Amino acid sequence: ELLLPELVGSKLHKSSGLSINTKDLENEYVIILVGAQWNSASQLFLKEMLDVYSTLKNQGKSFEIIYLSADHTEEQYLEQTSSFPWLSIPFENITHCKMRLPYPPPSLIVLDRDGNIINDNGYKAVRWNKYNFTWLPDLRVQDILGNRFMKGD
């Protein structure tokens, strides 16, 4: 088991330029989103994840997305992360993170509240059915649709 700060570093960036302490994310599910500005599949997936992110946040779900860039230059990184609603790993920490999370773009890795990887194939799950949310363990269909639809009423 790795603690989140050991995995992604002690500080994370917001697009506003502010930084937050990684320890502030304790007790939340964390989604590591691996992407790159130069990767077209990654660009399409990022657009989908913007929709998923806003849908889940509007439903009051407790989670956070952390972006791990596979970009080659800081310029690409800054261009890519400048408009994200979620957090990103600072460019200077990316090499360290890639050693612990060696996933190609686009990838989506879900960590539980203890920092354990519970789904390292979230990309495929989201692509198949992004609104089912079964790739995030505590977000099941009944959370999205409500019990009324689950009972067959």
Side-chain angles (χ1 to χ4, degrees):
E1 174 182 322
L2 283 174
L3 298 175
L4 190 59
E6 294 171 15
L7 195 60
V8 300
S10 61
K11 297 280 184 194
L12 298 167
H13 288 174
K14 293 183 172 189
S15 61
S16 64
L18 297 175
S19 292
I20 72 153
N21 190 325
T22 306
K23 289 184 179 185
D24 292 344
L25 299 178
E26 289 179 1
N27 300 317
E28 292 205 38
Y29 281 97
V30 171
I31 299 169
I32 307 291
L33 178 57
V34 182
Q37 189 256 352
W38 49 265
N39 182 289
S40 60
S42 180
Q43 294 303 304
L44 292 171
F45 188 61
L46 286 172
K47 289 178 184 175
E48 286 186 68
M49 286 306 297
L50 285 168
D51 186 41
V52 168
Y53 182 83
S54 65
T55 299
L56 290 172
K57 286 296 184 178
N58 288 338
Q59 293 174 359
K61 303 302 180 189
S62 179
F63 78 101
E64 190 53 69
I65 291 178
I66 299 174
Y67 182 73
L68 172 57
S69 174
D71 288 314
H72 303 298
T73 67
E74 189 167 9
E75 183 180 348
Q76 289 174 328
Y77 165 84
L78 291 171
E79 184 178 325
Q80 181 72 0
T81 60
S82 65
S83 62
F84 286 164
W86 47 70
L87 302 167
S88 60
I89 296 167
F91 186 77
E92 59 270 12
N93 294 348
I94 289 172
T95 301
H96 166 79
C97 294
K98 284 183 186 174
M99 287 189 291
R100 295 188 182 268
L101 295 165
Y103 297 92
S107 293
L108 188 138
I109 302 101
V110 181
L111 307 176
D112 68 12
R113 292 181 169 120
D114 295 320
N116 300 304
I117 294 175
I118 54 175
N119 186 345
D120 66 354
N121 199 7
Y123 169 75
K124 185 176 181 180
V126 171
R127 295 288 297 151
W128 277 98
N129 189 354
K130 67 181 173 183
Y131 294 111
N132 190 343
F133 300 121
T134 54
W135 47 271
L136 195 56
D138 67 343
L139 299 177
R140 302 292 182 214
V141 173
Q142 59 267 28
D143 295 329
I144 309 306
L145 299 178
N147 288 331
R148 177 170 66 101
F149 294 103
M150 297 307 292
K151 295 177 186 173
D153 300 351

